[in-house]
Amino acid sequence: MLRLFKGSPPRILVAGFAAIILIGAVLLSQPFASAEGTALRYLDAIFTATSATCVTGLTVVDTGRYFSVPGQLILLLLIQIGGLGFMTMSTLIAIVLGRRISLRERIVLQEAMGQQHMQGIVDLIKRVLQYSLTIEGIAAVLFTIRFANDMPLGQAAYFGVFHAISFFNNAGFDLFGEYRSLTPYAEDPFVNIVTMALIILGGIGFVVIKDLLEYQRARKKLSLHTRVVLSMTAFLILFGAAVFFIFEYTNTLQPLSWRGKILASFFQSVSPRTAGVNTVELDDLRQASQFFLIILMFIGAGPGSTAGGIKITTVAALLAGVRTMLQGKRDIVLFHHRLAPDRILKALTVATLGVALVVVVTMVLSVTEQASFIRILFEAVSAFGTVGLSTGITPELSDIGRALLIFTMFAGRLGPITLAYALRPKQEKDLFRHPEGKLIIA
């Protein structure tokens, strides 16, 4: 696969994802991909292919009604490739064919998986496929059993497989039609719990899953990365559910039973962190709730996962830095481990670039689109965080708005730093250091 591309690992990742999107767009624009046999506009095909490959879930056409079965299967393939990463898929193909993974390919894999070390990267890729197929397979069976109560068994099995892959990869595409998502199952504990489990497992990252599975038979000690991801995930889910429950108790949650209120609160806390599935109408939420979901979408989930956003480890590092500054200490510490200064600098860079991109996209969309500011901001952050939640304005976007969100989804999936490294010219190494200066920071 790497022989098709030249350049640094970031450039290879950008070129690889772009190639998959273009191929997917060509296929989705063909008449056979449409249920009515009509060709989809190429801009809309690129938007849909980008949304699927970047596991976002924003749609300009109704997935369940517009696309034929072949078109839906193309979407499913794009979701799987995008969720696992094109380098992961190409490496697995190379392993099956018995080809040796070169050093250059291992370096790109290290970049794609967000790993600090190259050691064991090929073994991790093998486990990624094993974990993914196992989790998706179990979820597909569970969904099939549940959906068989509402539809014929064959259709239930198809729906089970599609939604298991879509939800585990945090894509958010669904086949229920009319942009309903999972609102018909708002009070169904089975569908809610299985879906939330898929979203969480897909969002914590494959490194964390591997660490948890090897906990008993290996070190019996979790890595710092795993502890930070799990603790931040638990905190955001519990805190998010409590905030949503309070804000929406007399609004969208009012018609639901107590069980439904609790399920909906937890679901809307889990999903915005990159899944793009909802059980209540987002356009009916109070603005305070919509803004809170925007914050969750911007944060995202764990690195090396199917999730987007600036990642919860970035937020944890920044919060630890703030705490250290307020306490007047020197070292930034998390779980009794000192963080290197370059980790904090990278976290600050990721957050700053993320904010800058969202601000620019929101400003432009505010000029080109006819919608309230909160809905435009919601859409921009949803695209950047590769979430896919929408207040309903995506199908109404202008061509400029659609093109802008295509770029935003692409940048959000690859990460602002990876995209910046890929686009920058070759840097010459500094041969000297400037003298240290003093800058007053308020």
Side-chain angles (χ1 to χ4, degrees), residues 273-312:
R273 300 223 345 275
T274 195
V277 195
N278 55 285
T279 57
V280 298
E281 293 295 341
L282 300 180
D283 196 29
D284 295 335
L285 298 179
R286 291 192 169 98
Q287 287 194 2
S289 302
Q290 292 177 343
F291 188 72
F292 181 69
L293 295 188
I294 287 171
I295 296 173
L296 294 180
M297 290 191 295
F298 186 76
I299 293 174
S305 69
T306 60
I310 63 172
K311 305 296 189 299
I312 50 181

Side-chain angles (χ1 to χ4, degrees), residues 2-3 5-7 12 102-109:
L2 286 183
R3 292 169 185 162
F5 308 106
K6 294 182 180 180
I12 292 173
S102 67
L103 176 62
R104 186 172 178 228
E105 290 171 323
R106 293 170 190 263
I107 294 174
V108 179
L109 284 171

Side-chain angles (χ1 to χ4, degrees), residues 387-409:
V387 180
L389 292 177
S390 175
T391 56
I393 69 172
T394 304
E396 303 170 1
L397 292 174
S398 65
D399 287 350
I400 295 176
R402 297 182 189 206
L404 193 58
L405 285 194
I406 288 172
F407 173 77
T408 307
M409 290 187 287

